[in-house]
Amino acid sequence: MKLKETGLTKEELKGLVNKYMIETYERFDMVAEKAKDMYIYDENGTPYLDFYAGIAVNNAGNCNEKVVSAVIDQVQDIIHTFNYPYTIPQALLAKKVCETIGMDKIFYQNSGTEANEAMIKMARKYGVEKYGPDKYNIVTAKMSFHGRTFGAMSATGQPDNACQVGFGDMTPGFSYAKYNDLDDFKAAVNDNTIAVMIEPVQGEGGVNPATKEFMLGLRKLCDEKGLLLLIDEVQTGWCRTGAIMSYMNYGIKPDIVSMAKGLGGGMPIGAICATEEVSKAFTMGSHGTTFGGHPVSCAAALAEVTELIDRDLAGNAKKVGDYFASKLEALPHVKEVRHQGLLVGVEFDDSISGIDVKHGCFDRKLLITAIGDHIIRMIPPLIVSKEECDKAFEIIKETVEVLE
């Protein structure tokens, strides 16, 4: 739908949002009307170079043609049904995902936070049923982010984060250890621990990749203690980090892995995959969903995953991500550049505000995001070229120089 088709002005549309919507977002002053490949277009047809990708969602590009075609075809057949009948997109996607990432079983959800909630529930139920009523504690990392439902936000190791403040006591059963500190994780494990839950790259925590030693150590720790290794790939999954799943960069395999964002090509979908043994914790009635495994979302996801693999967009993410991160080192006031594939963060010194850089880039028609006080994050579609990275670099550089 185009703004001119509504008969509203831009200010009138903004007025409707302000009047009727509960706002928890800092809005850009644009009406997003169209998107294609690496660009989003506003109400005037002005192109914005997209280094946001819907927050690591549109991995195969905005409005990828094969994803759009799959959605149209499925909508014409059946839009929604409950999860009692078999549906073709669910079954085909289940096979594609499990065989591609080397897992046994999949359970569909609607989002990343729901996927993490399901992962937490499965691990806790597995522990209680196998070892006894107190075996449900999960160790997660400080500065982690796992979502905004109660279980997922309780797993988040940021007690001062706005997602936790003001909601009362968090869900019990979580303890926290320092990221990339194996000894601290070992110390946090106790007799009631059933699992360790980790992001291979902390996205909201500042774009902090895990070291190989740390991830290998966690897998070994879990094996030795009889614990489950839960890996949150909501933001890192599906080729974002230079491998199909980020855990593949470390040569390990989780017991349960969560995913969302890049799986659906723009349609809402989440999922967990688990080993055969651990998946048995979910039995009739122990977990469920109305919209999880939605036929249209599964059809879109099947097209998206096929595009990502057939075009080797993991390879492009690694090659272009390394190039872009190296180039960003030359920005003024850079304290550190951190990345894995095309999940890229730049931390500036105290003189440069990440929020100001974000807004300055928006004014220059580049879409990025900011984390905390001094960090910007770039998560472009994985079809991005070196030339588009050069363009983004020049815009960021100009923005920082003006802020000086």
Side-chain angles (χ1 to χ4, degrees):
M1 182 179 291
K2 302 295 190 292
L3 184 62
K4 62 183 179 182
E5 296 170 353
T6 68
L8 298 170
T9 67
K10 179 179 177 180
E11 292 306 313
E12 287 171 337
L13 183 73
K14 290 162 64 176
L16 292 180
V17 172
N18 291 334
K19 182 176 181 179
Y20 295 109
M21 293 180 65
I22 299 170
E23 283 284 83
T24 62
Y25 307 106
E26 183 191 17
R27 298 277 187 173
F28 284 139
D29 189 19
M30 68 180 294
V31 179
E33 282 197 346
K34 183 178 174 62
K36 185 62 180 171
D37 297 332
M38 284 299 303
Y39 286 89
I40 294 178
Y41 300 84
D42 71 8
E43 70 280 5
N44 299 312
T46 304
Y48 289 74
L49 183 57
D50 181 15
F51 270 55
Y52 215 146
I55 315 181
V57 169
N58 301 315
N59 284 7
N62 289 294
C63 290
N64 177 278
E65 290 181 3
K66 292 186 178 179
V67 173
V68 171
S69 179
V71 168
I72 293 171
D73 288 347
Q74 184 58 45
V75 164
Q76 291 173 335
D77 289 337
I78 186 168
I79 295 178
H80 173 69
T81 182
F82 54 114
N83 276 314
Y84 290 177
Y86 297 101
T87 59
I88 294 167
Q90 272 193 6
L92 295 182
L93 180 62
K95 179 178 186 293
K96 185 77 169 181
V97 169
C98 288
E99 290 184 353
T100 298
I101 68 171
M103 299 297 286
D104 297 324
K105 298 283 188 175
I106 190 170
F107 193 99
Y108 295 115
Q109 297 281 188
N110 302 292
S111 66
T113 192
E114 284 189 24
N116 282 334
E117 197 81 22
M119 183 160 66
I120 291 164
K121 287 180 66 177
M122 180 176 281
R124 287 174 63 135
K125 191 165 185 285
Y126 175 85
V128 168
E129 290 182 342
K130 185 169 184 176
Y131 299 107
D134 297 325
K135 193 78 168 180
Y136 60 82
N137 187 75
I138 298 173
V139 181
T140 74
K142 295 176 181 178
M143 295 305 295
S144 59
F145 182 83
H146 297 292
R148 291 183 170 87
T149 51
F150 244 94
M153 76 176 181
S154 299
T156 294
Q158 299 190 60
D160 296 325
N161 191 296
C163 79
Q164 289 187 345
V165 173
F167 294 100
D169 293 340
M170 294 294 102
T171 302
F174 295 96
S175 54
Y176 314 95
K178 186 178 179 182
Y179 194 68
N180 273 332
D181 189 331
L182 186 58
D183 289 337
D184 206 32
F185 268 79
K186 289 179 179 179
V189 170
N190 59 41
D191 291 341
N192 296 327
T193 302
I194 185 55
V196 170
M197 182 173 177
I198 200 77
E199 298 163 278
V201 183
Q202 288 187 327
E204 297 293 327
V207 189
N208 301 304
T211 65
K212 189 163 188 176
E213 178 185 24
F214 177 63
M215 293 296 280
L216 290 173
L218 288 182
R219 181 68 272 180
K220 183 179 179 182
L221 172 66
C222 290
D223 291 341
E224 290 175 348
K225 297 287 187 179
L227 309 177
L228 304 180
L229 180 59
L230 318 180
I231 298 187
D232 176 350
E233 295 260 13
V234 168
Q235 188 165 146
T236 54
W238 296 106
C239 303
R240 170 63 49 191
T241 65
I244 292 174
M245 305 299 283
S246 182
Y247 66 75
M248 296 175 179
N249 288 315
Y250 301 94
I252 62 171
K253 182 179 174 181
D255 297 289
I256 315 175
V257 58
S258 61
M259 61 193 74
K261 292 187 181 290
L263 175 62
M267 291 294 293
I269 189 170
I272 59 170
C273 285
T275 63
E276 179 83 33
E277 178 190 0
V278 177
S279 72
K280 293 175 182 176
F282 274 5
T283 53
M284 197 75 70
S286 62
H287 196 56
T289 171
T290 297
F291 291 107
H294 191 277
V296 181
S297 292
C298 285
L302 182 61
E304 174 80 358
V305 168
T306 301
E307 278 282 87
L308 293 172
I309 295 168
D310 288 353
R311 295 171 63 178
D312 188 25
L313 291 183
N316 192 61
K318 178 170 176 50
K319 178 180 68 176
V320 178
D322 288 347
Y323 171 83
F324 190 38
S326 177
K327 196 171 183 71
L328 291 167
E329 295 277 3
L331 287 173
H333 297 278
V334 165
K335 186 175 178 181
E336 187 178 15
V337 177
R338 299 184 289 271
H339 86 292
Q340 191 176 95
L342 280 167
L343 178 49
V344 185
V346 177
E347 183 172 359
F348 295 101
D349 62 33
D350 292 347
S351 68
I352 299 296
S353 161
I355 296 291
D356 289 344
V357 175
K358 178 182 80 169
H359 287 294
C361 287
F362 173 78
D363 292 339
R364 294 167 177 82
K365 309 301 182 284
L366 171 67
L367 303 178
I368 64 171
T369 187
I371 306 168
D373 295 330
H374 305 289
I375 301 170
I376 59 171
R377 177 179 52 171
M378 281 72 68
I379 38 179
L382 306 184
I383 62 171
V384 66
S385 66
K386 290 182 179 179
E387 291 74 22
E388 287 155 341
C389 287
D390 290 342
K391 183 175 180 180
F393 169 80
E394 293 300 331
I395 292 173
I396 298 169
K397 182 172 180 288
E398 179 184 344
T399 300
V400 175
E401 288 172 347
V402 169
L403 289 173
E404 285 182 293

